[in-house]
Amino acid sequence: MIDLHVHSTASDGSESPTVVVQLAAAAGLRAIALTDHDTQAGIVEARAEAARTGVELIAGTELSVEWAQGAMHMVVLFLEPGPGPLQDRLAELRKGRSERNARIVERLVELGLPISDSEILELAAGESVGRPHIAAVMVNRGYVESIFEAFDRYLAWGKPAYMARPRLSPEEAIGLALESQAVPIVAHPHTLGLNTSEEVSTTLRRLAGAGLVGIECYYPLYSPFEREGYSALAARFGLKPSGGSDYHGTYKPDVELGIGRGNLAVADGLLDALRPA
Ligand code: AMP
Ligand code: ZN
Ligand code: FE
Ligand code: FE
């Protein structure tokens, strides 16, 4: 089995790239993709541990793109660290992220829930800081009982401390990924907010037309029925199925590497089909 959607301390996972690869080896996974948000800072470290343990490490990232109806995240696989069309844009995205984080902190102060930048930076070891770190500080401060509650009451879209940040359009993200010889995949498609089969068709046709390669059909909590449904859609729109746990360590309690909430199983064959030609 494999896991093609994993986060580390380079962004908002709680475990270092080394530990993530060790967990993969212990779980018997053949390959994992490190897909930290807007950064590839964990790849070199993860690769070193992968070489020691015999796990294959796919370099990647995860982007949040412009999508009014819901959340569209793009997992990009086979994105090699270093200079390149998409790689060069990541720093800009991280800048937008830190400016957004500062506005969230200001808003929380206004709401009577003060937190400081130093508290956030104490938790965030990597170069891509995000809302889960802010949520964890809010838990430490006793403002909320869980990361989930921090999102549900304050940080999620439409909640009082939500702040937008600059994003690529879906077409820009797909185009840059392809120019970088990488493989763009729509992550956790249930968050797209598609309510009718017409919206599903329009959206997948648009993304496939832009060059999208894959769609996550295997994700924690997707039933066999849903996996089949997404896989059938993938086939209909010429997309390849992908899947992963979206492991974040303690930032997403209950989700384990490789198995998600227990029932995830992503077969090796999916990776072979996704490899760039
Ligand atoms: P950011 O990239 O900083 O905007 O934060 C997005 C990340 O926060 C996602 O990738 C998830 O890991 C996490 N997240 C988003 N929404 C929620 C939620 N409702 N509950 C818990 N975690 C969430
Ligand atoms: Zn995340
Ligand atoms: Fe995501
Ligand atoms: Fe993710």
Side-chain angles (χ1 to χ4, degrees):
M1 294 295 149
I2 57 175
D3 189 335
L4 301 179
H5 187 161
V6 175
H7 299 275
S8 76
T9 48
S11 68
D12 56 5
S14 64
E15 307 308 317
S16 69
T18 299
V19 168
V20 165
V21 173
Q22 286 169 350
L23 291 170
L29 298 178
R30 187 176 72 88
I32 62 168
L34 190 62
T35 56
D36 279 306
H37 302 279
D38 302 336
T39 181
Q40 300 206 282
I43 302 293
V44 169
E45 180 188 323
R47 279 252 163 92
E49 191 61 19
R52 268 197 291 278
T53 53
V55 173
E56 183 184 1
L57 194 283
I58 313 296
T61 190
E62 183 177 12
L63 308 168
S64 304
V65 301
E66 276 168 24
W67 190 249
Q69 269 178 272
M72 187 186 289
H73 292 182
M74 216 60 91
V75 157
V76 180
L77 301 183
F78 300 100
L79 182 73
E80 287 304 315
L86 177 56
Q87 294 91 331
D88 294 348
R89 295 297 280 277
L90 297 179
E92 212 174 291
L93 294 170
R94 290 194 299 272
K95 184 159 170 279
R97 178 179 272 287
S98 43
E99 287 164 3
R100 186 270 325 246
N101 293 345
R103 283 183 284 122
I104 293 178
V105 169
E106 274 173 39
R107 184 80 184 112
L108 288 172
V109 171
E110 286 169 12
L111 291 167
L113 305 167
I115 67 171
S116 67
D117 292 342
S118 60
E119 285 168 288
I120 298 171
L121 294 176
E122 221 166 281
L123 290 179
E127 65 174 18
S128 180
V129 181
R131 285 181 290 167
H133 300 116
I134 295 173
V137 171
M138 294 172 75
V139 173
N140 292 346
R141 281 269 191 159
Y143 298 152
V144 288
E145 285 188 3
S146 65
I147 288 178
F148 176 84
E149 189 189 343
F151 274 91
D152 197 45
R153 289 178 59 191
Y154 301 106
L155 301 174
W157 186 85
K159 300 300 161 79
Y162 177 84
M163 296 288 160
R165 63 184 171 94
R167 292 158 192 259
L168 301 173
S169 71
E171 283 80 3
E172 283 175 308
I174 291 167
L176 288 165
L178 296 175
E179 282 176 48
S180 296
Q181 273 84 50
V183 174
I185 292 165
V186 163
H188 41 69
H190 67 286
T191 67
L192 293 173
L194 303 175
N195 295 314
T196 65
S197 56
E198 188 149 337
E199 285 173 5
V200 171
S201 305
T202 310
T203 301
L204 293 185
R205 204 173 294 126
R206 171 180 160 188
L207 296 173
L212 185 72
V213 174
I215 181 166
E216 278 183 349
C217 300
Y218 298 79
Y219 195 75
L221 294 186
Y222 285 2
S223 65
F225 190 66
E226 289 166 308
R227 294 171 193 170
E228 291 223 5
Y230 285 124
S231 299
L233 275 176
R236 188 172 139 210
F237 291 93
L239 301 171
K240 296 171 183 174
S242 184
S245 65
D246 207 357
Y247 176 76
H248 282 75
T250 57
Y251 288 101
K252 255 194 203 175
D254 338 319
V255 171
E256 282 182 58
L257 199 71
I259 58 168
R261 289 182 164 92
N263 72 342
L264 185 72
V266 185
D268 299 15
L270 271 65
L271 177 59
D272 295 323
L274 285 163
R275 282 182 205 280

